[in-house]
Amino acid sequence: MYRGREGQWAFFLHRISGVALLLWLLIHTLNIASAMWGPAVSDRLMAFFHVPIFQVGLLLVTAAALYHSFNGLRIIIMDFTTWGVKYQRQLWYGVMVLCVLVAIPGLIITVPRIIHAATHGGA
């Protein structure tokens, strides 16, 4: 039965972040493959991906990558230590704190650029 505890949230977020990364990889591969149709197609696609909504999506995918990697390390700790399962709750909160701490510098740099692009027509 679902109780909404940390372990279940960790499981759910790990799966969602994995799917997000898979979709990003697909879009990234298609973007690179667009060069086969010439520079005009590739340039139009790149311009499309620089729309502010895609930039926000890139921030979300970056957050997914951070969470997925740190939570993967948490899972490794739980699998290969005798104490990991006992402290899985604290480890998950540590994953969340690490994600926020690592994301802050990127957000400080990226968010103003997205806002500037949105308010100045992508310039």
Side-chain angles (χ1 to χ4, degrees), residues 58-67 69-70 94-112:
L58 187 57
L59 286 176
L60 293 174
V61 167
T62 303
L66 285 173
Y67 176 78
S69 60
F70 288 138
V95 164
M96 300 307 277
V97 168
L98 273 174
C99 287
V100 169
L101 290 176
V102 171
I104 286 174
L107 290 173
I108 290 171
I109 294 169
T110 309
V111 170

Side-chain angles (χ1 to χ4, degrees), residues 24-91:
W24 176 84
L25 184 62
L26 176 64
I27 290 171
H28 183 67
T29 304
L30 292 173
N31 184 25
I32 292 171
S34 71
M36 292 187 303
W37 295 290
V41 173
S42 184
D43 290 345
R44 278 194 306 245
L45 194 56
M46 280 302 277
F48 182 68
F49 287 144
H50 280 83
V51 173
I53 191 69
F54 278 101
Q55 297 297 305
V56 171
L58 187 57
L59 286 176
L60 293 174
V61 167
T62 303
L66 285 173
Y67 176 78
H68 198 80
S69 60
F70 288 138
N71 192 56
L73 293 173
R74 180 188 75 90
I75 292 169
I76 290 170
I77 290 171
M78 288 173 36
D79 284 347
F80 292 107
T81 65
T82 57
W83 52 268
V85 174
K86 182 178 177 184
Y87 294 106
Q88 70 89 20
R89 180 185 214 185
Q90 292 86 343
L91 287 169

